[in-house]
Amino acid sequence: MPSSLVVLGSSNTDMIIQLERLPRPGETLLGGNFTTAAGGKGANQAVAAARAGGAVTFVARIGRDIFGDQALAGFQRDRLNTDYVFRDPTAPSGVALIFVARDGSNSIAVAGGANARLSPADVRKAKPAITRAAALVLQLETPLATVQAAAQLAARAGVPVILNPAPAQALPDTLLQAVHLLTPNETEAETLTGVKVTDDASAARAARQLLARGVRGVILTLGARGAWVTTPELSRRVPTFRVKPVDTTAAGDVFNGALAVAFSEGRPLLECVRFANAAAALSVTRLGAQPSAPTRPQIERLLGGTRG
Ligand code: RIB
């Protein structure tokens, strides 16, 4: 029986140009390949979780436009429960413009559109799914008041909240206190704590600070160096798999989706992080956000086992 997860967050259509390197301000670079792909941090995490083996309900707002139609069709292909994907009559679907450089790095600009209208009232509509979930997964590409409403609803119902604090912004302690697992990258950890994360010692320092502010566990993603895990019981780095990066877009989203699945299956935390590392490593070898999310058999193959 797959674990039942709720992911609440954004959905975008990504317009991607692959270039030798990222353009500088004021510069025009020629010679790029153009492609579109389904994206948005929330949708990426929902799709990644479904492919990793979760039964996923997605809570989101998309426009009544062709991008919204395409996004919805994609969610259905990935067997997400879309009962709480609302079609907004007044705002367009979210769009992201993404440059991807040859070394796999990227820069992203988002026009949130309908994502910015996902409201606490939408959270209340999704209450039956949220309060029965094995875990709730959140990010910060939708309004903070909505994220807070969802986190508090879940926490009151005893549902563990996994918050991926991306894109980076300062957060109130009232939100952090409702969070079971916080999953920042280095930049997001620095925004939240003021600690510049450059090595294991600074990762541990930032994570301890976040624990002191009320989260129960911190999984600080470190790109090619893996992830730093801190709970009251443990503090250590989990290395990741070595791969040749093509596009790092959504690696964090795939990590979070896979992490949520393993966590909701009740696996030990370090095993969850290994599973998530494997999923994220596979994702950076492929172009695009949702197209890069691996299936469970692919993740298990990289892990070298046959579980699940
Ligand atoms: O995390 C990657 C995502 O950020 C992209 O899919 C883009 O849509 C933005 O939301």
Side-chain angles (χ1 to χ4, degrees):
M1 175 78 175
S3 57
S4 80
L5 290 170
V6 174
V7 179
L8 179 143
S10 57
S11 163
N12 293 330
T13 298
D14 293 349
M15 313 255 171
I16 307 160
I17 300 183
Q18 287 174 281
L19 293 155
E20 193 53 38
R21 59 175 174 79
L22 302 180
R24 299 191 192 96
E27 183 183 29
T28 302
L29 281 182
L30 297 180
N33 290 322
F34 174 72
T35 174
T36 62
K41 295 185 192 304
N44 297 344
Q45 295 181 14
V47 165
R51 292 193 194 151
V56 180
T57 296
F58 185 40
V59 183
R61 229 167 225 279
I62 56 177
R64 288 188 192 279
D65 49 20
I66 179 124
F67 289 158
D69 294 346
Q70 286 168 351
L72 194 57
F75 302 154
Q76 283 158 356
R77 274 197 303 278
D78 274 299
R79 299 181 193 287
L80 304 186
N81 173 9
T82 57
D83 288 356
Y84 306 104
V85 175
F86 305 106
R87 302 299 298 261
D88 196 290
T90 58
S93 297
V95 169
L97 303 183
I98 304 183
F99 295 124
V100 178
R102 192 204 261 291
D103 66 1
S105 60
N106 63 47
S107 78
I108 305 180
V110 175
N115 296 308
R117 292 171 51 82
L118 189 71
S119 66
D122 294 331
V123 171
R124 287 192 288 277
K125 288 181 208 148
K127 183 176 174 186
I130 293 173
T131 54
R132 267 187 239 121
L136 171 69
V137 181
L138 300 165
Q139 334 70 36
L140 300 175
E141 240 176 17
T142 50
L144 190 59
T146 307
V147 171
Q148 277 185 287
Q152 258 126 32
L153 178 64
R156 275 199 300 272
V159 173
V161 175
I162 300 173
L163 174 62
N164 174 224
Q169 64 170 281
L171 295 176
D173 287 359
T174 48
L175 173 57
L176 295 178
Q177 282 153 11
V179 170
H180 195 90
L181 290 177
L182 188 76
T183 60
N185 64 16
E186 294 110 317
T187 317
E188 292 144 9
E190 184 178 350
T191 301
L192 290 169
T193 64
V195 175
K196 193 163 179 52
V197 177
T198 53
D199 53 14
D200 289 355
S202 49
R205 237 181 2 262
R208 273 198 306 272
Q209 234 194 74
L210 291 164
L211 235 54
R213 288 180 61 193
V215 303
R216 249 139 300 158
V218 175
I219 300 171
L220 206 165
T221 54
L222 302 166
R225 297 184 62 246
W228 186 269
V229 184
T230 295
T231 67
E233 294 79 37
L234 65 98
S235 195
R236 60 161 288 191
R237 185 162 58 84
V238 182
T240 188
F241 300 80
R242 196 172 297 187
V243 289
K244 188 171 161 18
V246 170
D247 177 12
T248 55
T249 310
D253 299 333
V254 170
F255 181 95
N256 277 276
L259 176 79
V261 171
F263 174 80
S264 65
E265 289 171 356
R267 299 207 210 171
L269 193 56
L270 293 179
E271 197 178 310
C272 298
V273 175
R274 226 174 102 71
F275 185 80
N277 273 344
L282 288 167
S283 81
V284 305
T285 64
R286 304 168 183 169
L287 179 66
Q290 284 164 48
S292 74
T295 61
R296 181 151 188 148
Q298 292 167 339
I299 301 169
E300 311 247 312
R301 215 170 304 136
L302 181 59
L303 284 166
T306 51
R307 265 188 81 140

